[in-house]
């Protein structure tokens, strides 16, 4: 209790002393009326900072020669930690501090509280720092463990991968603009697949069932393979993820997932869903106008032309042959265009070695749609051009199915499969070979097609796709151009 009072008295004494100034040097003076003072001869400007009740307080004034002689004010006292005497006009203008950061200088006689603060604060700061480092390291470890867990366990947390508001369109848009080229990241694919709710079966094919499912309220198609067809699942997923394959007339692939539930593996391929189903289903149910027929024909040819086309470059696309083109493997979209689907038997061309990417065993595909050179096994499978030409023969058959259903002035044919009138319902290779190779028969082109320009051109395209000599057949690009001319589509960019 005595110390503050003593300090105040000491300070007052200093103030009183420095107030009695004589002329000489001009100095800053806090306690003078006009804030300046003058020293007598041999006087000095005085600058000090004191710790008063825990706060720094600066005092500036003049020192008399007497005070200077004693030099008492130019030394430290108990309360004044820094003081300075100087000898030019206003040299005490600068502000002194006890410590640069305003820290309290330790002086004898400090209170226990101050001492404790000085010792404890750095120790606490040091502890906090150590704790922070430990927490940061632990946090990283936990995140790492969480990521590793996602790799091996399920269910996956899609929130960490995809914003909840994102639609399939957004995801596909992100994917096609991200530059990654081929497909969504595998974890995203898996996350999508595992959050689909299956609704109903919509189709059956070679390898299992196709379902309609819901993902975030949107319809998707899910092709489920049995575990013994793992190679087919893998192959189809691989083909769909070929760089630059994505095209409006090729079924939009979304995700592949293999989910092991302990006793068996479920293999899923997720794609865009098309409510009209296959072209086969559609033509069985509907006739089409000339315009609708041309739109379907043009989009099928565009899809096949894209599939067949090689795009050169580091991020290029290899030429791909479908090998199972038929009306059941083409889907009808809501906007009346078509998308080529079921790429499970497709093969890619490797231009550097001029080979096919997998051993192309000869007779795959659907017998009814097989080209003559496949039926009689004369095709040279190492020549990729020839594999594409076999697709063109099948395309001609699909066009025949489509054009029959075209209604002109109310006249149209019933739906029929190619060769419906000359082969049994599930024809063998031998049945087909006899008809297509030996007898050289082809589906009938009705006479009335000659009276409608669009149908006439379609008939001509078919014949030119059905040549026994595959080298003479039209290419997909040629068919696309011819159909587009008929359809008078003005914005074709070739
Ligand atoms: N994305 C889809 N939207 C609507 N229906 C589809 C879709 N994918 C397949 N389907 C239906 O399922 C059938 C079989 O599909 P597909 O891919 O050809 O399987 P598979 O390889 O077993 O032949 C098709 O003919 C079609 O009727
Ligand atoms: Mg199929």
């Amino acid at each position: 209790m005595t110390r503050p009072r003593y300090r105040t008295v000491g300070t007052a004494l200093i103030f009183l002393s420095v107030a009695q100034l004589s002329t000489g040097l001009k100095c800053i003076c806090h306690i003078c009326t006009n804030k300046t003072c003058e020293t007598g001869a041999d006087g000095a400007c005085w600058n000090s900072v004191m710790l008063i009740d825990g706060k720094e307080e600066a005092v500036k004034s003049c020192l008399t020669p007497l005070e200077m002689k004693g030099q008492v004010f130019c030394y430290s006292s108990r309360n004044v930690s820094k003081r300075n005497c100087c000898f030019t006009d206003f040299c005490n203008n600068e502000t002194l501090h006890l410590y640069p950061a305003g820290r309290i200088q330790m002086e004898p006689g400090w209170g226990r509280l101050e001492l404790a603060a000085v010792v404890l604060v750095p120790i606490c700061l040091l502890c906090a720092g150590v704790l922070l480092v430990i927490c940061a390291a632990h946090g990283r470890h936990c995140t790492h463990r969480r990521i590793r867990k996602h790799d091996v366990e399920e269910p996956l947390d899609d929130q960490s991968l995809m914003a909840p508001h994102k639609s399939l369109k957004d995801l596909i848009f992100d994917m096609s603009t991200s530059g990654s080229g081929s497909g969504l990241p595998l974890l995203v694919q898996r996350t999508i697949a595992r959050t689909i709710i299956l609704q109903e079966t919509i189709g059956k094919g070679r390898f299992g069932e196709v379902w309609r499912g819901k993902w975030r309220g949107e319809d998707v198609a899910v092709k489920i393979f049995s575990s013994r067809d793992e190679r087919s699942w893998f192959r189809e997923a691989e083909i769909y993820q070929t760089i630059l394959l994505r095209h409006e007339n090729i079924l939009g692939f979304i995700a592949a997932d293999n989910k092991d539930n302990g006793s068996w593996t479920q293999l899923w391929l997720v794609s865009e869903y098309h409510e009209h189903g296959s072209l086969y289903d559609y033509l069985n149910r509907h006739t089409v106008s000339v315009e609708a027929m041309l739109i379907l024909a043009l989009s099928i040819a565009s899809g096949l032309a894209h599939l067949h086309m090689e795009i050169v470059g580091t991020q290029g696309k290899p030429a791909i042959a479908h090998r199972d083109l038929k009306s059941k493997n083409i889907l009808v979209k809501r906007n009346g265009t078509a998308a080529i689907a079921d790429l499970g038997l497709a093969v890619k061309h490797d231009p550097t070695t001029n080979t096919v990417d997998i051993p192309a065993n000869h007779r795959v595909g659907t017998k009814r749609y097989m080209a003559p050179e496949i039926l009689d096994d004369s095709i040279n499978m190492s020549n990729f051009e020839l594999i594409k030409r076999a697709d063109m023969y099948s395309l001609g058959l699909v066009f025949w199915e489509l054009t029959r259903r075209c209604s002109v002035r109310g006249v149209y044919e019933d739906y029929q499969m190619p060769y419906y009138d000359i082969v049994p319902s599930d024809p063998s290779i031998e049945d087909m070979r006899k008809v297509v190779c030996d007898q050289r028969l082809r589906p009938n082109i009705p006479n009335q097609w000659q009276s409608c320009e669009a149908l006439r051109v379609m008939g001509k395209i078919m014949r030119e796709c059905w040549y026994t000599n595959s080298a003479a057949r039209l290419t997909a690009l040629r068919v696309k151009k011819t159909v587009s001319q008929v359809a008078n589509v003005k914005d074709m960019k070739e």
Side-chain angles (χ1 to χ4, degrees), residues 400 404 413 419-422 442-447 449 462 466:
W400 178 83
R404 274 173 64 92
E413 318 272 334
Y419 304 107
Y420 73 101
D421 47 351
I422 39 181
R442 297 293 185 268
N444 178 47
I445 291 179
N447 281 337
W449 288 7
M462 289 169 213
W466 289 339

Side-chain angles (χ1 to χ4, degrees), residues 205-206 223 324 326 328-329 342:
R206 269 184 318 243
K223 187 164 163 177
D324 195 17
K326 59 177 178 177
K328 285 183 181 172
N329 286 342
D342 197 354

